Amino acid sequence: MRGYLTAALAVALPLAAISQTQTPPSAGQAELEKLQLERSQRMQAASKELKGEVTATKMAKLQDDYAKIYQDLWPRYEKLAKTSKGGVQVRARLDMIQLAQMGRKYEQIEAIANAIVKENRNVAETAQAVTVLSRLGMALGGGMSAKNAEEQKAATLLGQKKVGAYLAALEKSKNPVVRAGVLYYQAQAERDATKKSAMFAQLLEKYPTTDYGKMAQAARFEAENLQIGKAAPNFTATDENGKTFTLADYKGKVVVLDFWGFW
């Protein structure tokens, strides 16, 4: 349970960051930001319960807190999703998926996912939904209520089938950003290095100006060069004494590379 709740938290928190614009936000945008701030603050406050030793009592308290957040915010999110359109509607619905997970209302997740795919397919922000939808297999397949390994397996297969249908629908989006998002996810999920590289190359060719196209360049380099058994790419750097060196200077020797920085 702890892992599932942590995953739910991780999925939604990045979505709370709304890009700043030079124009005043619309009423829908302002309400969305207000809801996201409240949701984020309450989730962070609830997660503090897990500090120190994690016990069954703490997990039960966390689930109760999450259920209360769901109860309080769901009606407001539902109203916003019905009265807004475009990117605001998409982001509201993505937040609602997380709320449904927190409240253990798994039957509501599929309805929201269907609405995103059918009504928001051509909205650029729907590209954000690709990763979220791809992680819903267990919930969509009924895996959270499985009683044994056989039911768990069946739920996993059903969930994967539904996720595949969603991604196939989004592949037909009229918005290139959404199509690029689907292809980027598929490339990241591909385990075969050759196929992965080919998919990133396709992404760079078809959608070079999208953010996903730009990310594909670095991802393709990683897939082709930064793998176990590959020779490390040569580079030049300066040591702690100000002396310039290249990795090739140490060819034939054992080298330990320690990458660090401040963010």
Side-chain angles (χ1 to χ4, degrees):
M1 176 59 71
R2 181 187 181 188
Y4 180 70
L5 292 174
T6 303
L9 179 65
V11 168
L13 286 181
L15 299 177
I18 305 299
S19 59
Q20 300 297 316
T21 61
Q22 298 300 318
T23 57
S26 64
Q29 175 74 16
E31 175 63 12
L32 177 62
E33 292 179 359
K34 181 179 178 180
L35 282 169
Q36 289 181 323
L37 178 60
E38 180 178 346
R39 177 176 52 88
S40 177
Q41 290 175 337
R42 291 182 63 174
M43 289 175 68
Q44 290 176 10
S47 66
K48 290 181 180 179
E49 297 287 340
L50 295 182
K51 284 188 175 181
E53 181 183 0
V54 178
T55 64
T57 300
K58 287 184 177 181
M59 290 303 299
K61 176 63 166 57
L62 178 65
Q63 186 59 63
D64 288 342
D65 289 342
Y66 274 10
K68 186 65 168 62
I69 295 173
Y70 164 83
Q71 293 171 2
D72 292 345
L73 299 187
W74 183 267
R76 293 162 60 188
Y77 264 111
E78 192 171 37
K79 179 180 178 181
L80 178 61
K82 289 180 179 179
T83 58
S84 60
K85 295 184 179 300
V88 171
Q89 187 178 57
V90 173
R91 291 191 292 270
R93 283 173 167 168
L94 290 177
D95 286 352
M96 289 173 71
I97 287 177
Q98 186 205 18
L99 282 176
Q101 290 176 309
M102 292 168 62
R104 295 185 175 185
K105 304 296 183 179
Y106 305 118
E107 69 282 357
Q108 295 176 330
I109 294 176
E110 187 163 7
I112 302 168
N114 286 335
I116 291 174
V117 172
K118 293 180 180 179
E119 300 174 16
N120 307 124
R121 183 185 304 183
N122 300 320
V123 179
E125 285 82 355
T126 299
Q128 299 176 9
V130 174
T131 302
V132 177
L133 293 176
S134 68
R135 295 174 179 173
L136 294 178
M138 289 291 290
L140 293 172
M144 304 310 299
S145 59
K147 298 178 181 179
N148 51 54
E150 185 176 346
E151 289 186 4
Q152 185 77 46
K153 182 178 179 180
T156 299
L157 293 174
L158 178 59
Q160 291 175 343
K161 182 178 180 180
K162 291 183 177 181
V163 168
Y166 288 145
L167 296 183
L170 293 181
E171 279 184 304
K172 300 176 182 179
S173 171
K174 296 179 181 179
N175 194 301
V177 176
V178 178
R179 297 197 303 272
V182 175
L183 183 55
Y184 184 82
Y185 165 76
Q186 292 171 333
Q188 289 282 47
E190 177 59 56
R191 295 185 178 182
D192 184 276
T194 301
K195 293 181 180 179
K196 181 187 289 284
S197 180
M199 294 172 76
F200 281 132
Q202 182 182 3
L203 188 54
L204 282 166
E205 178 183 355
K206 289 187 174 182
Y207 313 105
T209 61
T210 66
D211 289 340
Y212 294 101
K214 296 172 183 177
M215 290 189 293
Q217 187 169 3
R220 184 186 183 190
F221 179 85
E222 178 181 347
E224 295 179 351
N225 298 283
L226 305 182
Q227 302 298 321
I228 296 175
K230 292 277 188 178
N234 192 33
F235 63 86
T236 300
T238 303
D239 65 18
E240 67 274 16
N241 298 316
K243 181 180 178 181
T244 300
F245 69 93
T246 64
L247 183 60
D249 295 337
Y250 299 93
K251 186 175 182 179
K253 300 179 181 180
V254 176
V255 178
V256 177
L257 301 178
D258 181 15
F259 295 93
W260 59 277
F262 298 99
W263 292 272

